[in-house]
């Protein structure tokens, strides 16, 4: 057993399919979706919001316990200023519109990433949404914004170093689980499934630490086209994977 990963799957009440407890998605392909239709890239971002809604509600229905969505990477600041501006406005708008619904559905919301770079009003909106939903326990929705996997690891290292310096943590106590507790997805189940839409085969500095034993699912479908059915297909693929965690296939079958 590796870090409790064998217990990080549950059986969906509706079928014999294994449902991943924690799913993360690199929501890619908005710009191309719009360009294929002769529209500006931002039209793709706006249409991508509908996919977010569909995926959140499907995850909740299927019994996924944690859903982590990559909305804006630490590298996305390099895009044209106008596109970054639209993405920020959209984030603000969606937060304003959707938080009540998340709360009604007993979903806890949090943002992971360096939010200090966002406007004060966006930071306030984020805090208010996190506070409102903090006691909800049906599912945790984490939105990665100004997030980078290397930032997450560096941030954890800094916080650990600070505790050592203050004398509250001994060097020998810096174990894998201690390190994990200092990363931004602390307390959530192990990442089971990492999906990337949009046809590229890379992790783009997403959950580097957390993806250690995740199953990967890549699809050509562009994010605005990734709706309930596409998500269910990805979940079904996960159910058919054999996760060995270093063991042999025979050992895994014996332990079943
Ligand atoms: C993903 O879609 C959304 C963000 C990165 C914010 P893209 O905007 O990267 O779309 P493509 O990859 O250019 O098509
Ligand atoms: C990854 O998509 C980030 C998000 C989906 C938010 P990008 O479109 O930024 O990734 P790269 O730069 O093509 O790898
Ligand atoms: Mg992209």
């Amino acid at each position: 057993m590796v870090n409790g990963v064998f217990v990080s799957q549950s059986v969906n009440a509706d079928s014999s399919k294994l449902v991943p407890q924690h799913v993360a998605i690199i929501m890619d392909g908005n710009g191309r979706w719009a360009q294929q239709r002769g529209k500006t890239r931002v039209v793709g971002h706006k249409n991508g919001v509908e996919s977010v809604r569909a995926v959140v509600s499907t995850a909740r229905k299927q019994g996924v316990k944690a859903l982590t969505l990559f909305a804006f990477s630490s590298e996305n600041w390099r895009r044209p200023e106008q596109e970054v501006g639209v993405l920020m406005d959209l984030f603000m708008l969606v937060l304003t519109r959707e938080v009540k619904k998340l709360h009604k559905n007993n979903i806890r919301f949090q943002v992971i990433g360096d939010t200090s770079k966002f406007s004060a009003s966006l930071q306030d909106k984020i805090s208010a949404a996190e506070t409102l939903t903090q006691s909800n326990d049906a599912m945790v929705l984490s939105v990665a914004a100004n997030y980078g996997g290397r930032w997450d690891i560096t941030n954890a290292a800094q916080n650990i170093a600070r505790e050592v310096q203050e004398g509250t943590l001994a060097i020998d106590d810096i174990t894998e689980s201690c390190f994990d507790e200092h990363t931004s997805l602390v307390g959530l189940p192990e990442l089971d499934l990492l999906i990337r839409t949009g046809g590229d085969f890379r992790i783009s500095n997403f959950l580097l630490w957390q993806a250690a034993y995740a199953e990967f699912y890549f699809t050509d479908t562009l994010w605005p086209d990734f709706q309930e059915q596409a998500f269910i297909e990805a979940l079904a693929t996960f159910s058919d994977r054999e996760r060995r965690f270093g063991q042999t296939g025979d050992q895994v079958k014996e332990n079943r």
Side-chain angles (χ1 to χ4, degrees), residues 26-40:
I26 300 174
M27 310 183 289
D28 197 21
N30 292 349
R32 280 164 285 164
W33 185 92
Q35 280 161 344
Q36 284 171 7
R37 288 160 179 77
K39 305 259 166 64
T40 57

Side-chain angles (χ1 to χ4, degrees), residues 34 54 74 80 87 111 116 121 148 194 203:
S74 42
L87 284 166
V111 171
S116 69
S121 52
L194 176 63
I203 196 163

Side-chain angles (χ1 to χ4, degrees), residues 9-19:
Q9 298 174 342
S10 65
V11 177
N12 184 359
D14 303 338
S15 70
S16 59
K17 293 269 186 210
L18 270 180
V19 175

Side-chain angles (χ1 to χ4, degrees), residues 180-207:
D180 195 61
E181 280 161 25
H182 288 80
T183 60
S184 55
L185 292 178
V186 50
L188 297 185
E190 284 278 329
L191 181 61
D192 292 315
L193 176 64
L194 176 63
I195 298 171
R196 183 178 185 132
T197 64
D200 284 311
F201 303 99
R202 56 178 175 260
I203 196 163
S204 299
N205 196 17
F206 195 27
L207 302 168

Side-chain angles (χ1 to χ4, degrees), residues 83-131:
E83 181 170 341
V84 171
V86 169
L87 284 166
M88 294 300 147
D89 291 348
L90 199 58
F91 197 19
M92 191 83 180
L93 188 76
V94 172
L95 264 182
T96 312
R97 270 204 211 139
E98 307 288 326
V99 165
K100 273 199 199 115
K101 206 162 83 191
L102 292 177
H103 189 45
K104 216 176 81 197
N105 284 296
N106 197 18
I107 295 170
R108 174 153 74 87
F109 172 83
Q110 63 175 4
V111 171
I112 58 163
D114 183 3
T115 52
S116 69
K117 298 286 178 294
F118 295 142
S119 69
S121 52
L122 184 50
Q123 289 185 49
D124 288 349
K125 269 257 143 51
I126 291 169
S127 299
E130 289 179 338
T131 307

Side-chain angles (χ1 to χ4, degrees), residues 19-231:
V19 175
Q21 282 218 346
H22 188 170
V23 180
I25 310 182
I26 300 174
M27 310 183 289
D28 197 21
N30 292 349
R32 280 164 285 164
W33 185 92
Q35 280 161 344
Q36 284 171 7
R37 288 160 179 77
K39 305 259 166 64
T40 57
R41 296 177 50 81
V42 299
V43 174
H45 297 315
K46 287 177 184 155
N47 278 273
V49 176
E50 194 43 55
S51 299
V52 173
R53 274 193 209 104
V55 163
V56 170
S57 102
T58 307
R60 167 85 171 77
K61 272 193 278 183
Q62 295 289 317
V64 170
K65 284 291 167 201
L67 177 67
T68 304
L69 302 178
F70 204 7
F72 191 85
S73 76
S74 42
E75 289 72 37
N76 286 146
W77 296 108
R78 303 169 73 189
R79 294 191 175 199
E81 214 178 301
Q82 190 257 354
E83 181 170 341
V84 171
V86 169
L87 284 166
M88 294 300 147
D89 291 348
L90 199 58
F91 197 19
M92 191 83 180
L93 188 76
V94 172
L95 264 182
T96 312
R97 270 204 211 139
E98 307 288 326
V99 165
K100 273 199 199 115
K101 206 162 83 191
L102 292 177
H103 189 45
K104 216 176 81 197
N105 284 296
N106 197 18
I107 295 170
R108 174 153 74 87
F109 172 83
Q110 63 175 4
V111 171
I112 58 163
D114 183 3
T115 52
S116 69
K117 298 286 178 294
F118 295 142
S119 69
S121 52
L122 184 50
Q123 289 185 49
D124 288 349
K125 269 257 143 51
I126 291 169
S127 299
E130 289 179 338
T131 307
L132 175 72
T133 63
Q134 66 189 353
S135 305
N136 296 344
D137 60 7
M139 184 174 89
V140 180
L141 171 64
S142 307
V143 171
N146 193 19
Y147 179 87
R150 288 180 174 177
W151 167 83
D152 202 353
I153 293 168
T154 309
N155 194 49
Q158 279 185 359
N159 289 330
I160 287 170
R162 210 165 282 127
E163 288 174 32
V164 170
Q165 197 173 41
E166 286 163 1
T168 54
L169 182 66
I171 288 181
D172 288 342
D173 290 336
I174 307 173
T175 57
E176 287 188 15
S177 70
C178 163
F179 198 94
D180 195 61
E181 280 161 25
H182 288 80
T183 60
S184 55
L185 292 178
V186 50
L188 297 185
E190 284 278 329
L191 181 61
D192 292 315
L193 176 64
L194 176 63
I195 298 171
R196 183 178 185 132
T197 64
D200 284 311
F201 303 99
R202 56 178 175 260
I203 196 163
S204 299
N205 196 17
F206 195 27
L207 302 168
L208 302 179
W209 167 270
Q210 296 85 350
Y213 253 114
E215 293 295 322
F216 285 69
Y217 180 86
F218 296 100
T219 171
D220 285 338
T221 304
L222 303 173
W223 179 249
D225 290 329
F226 194 84
Q227 299 287 330
E228 177 165 11
Q229 208 41 50
F231 187 44

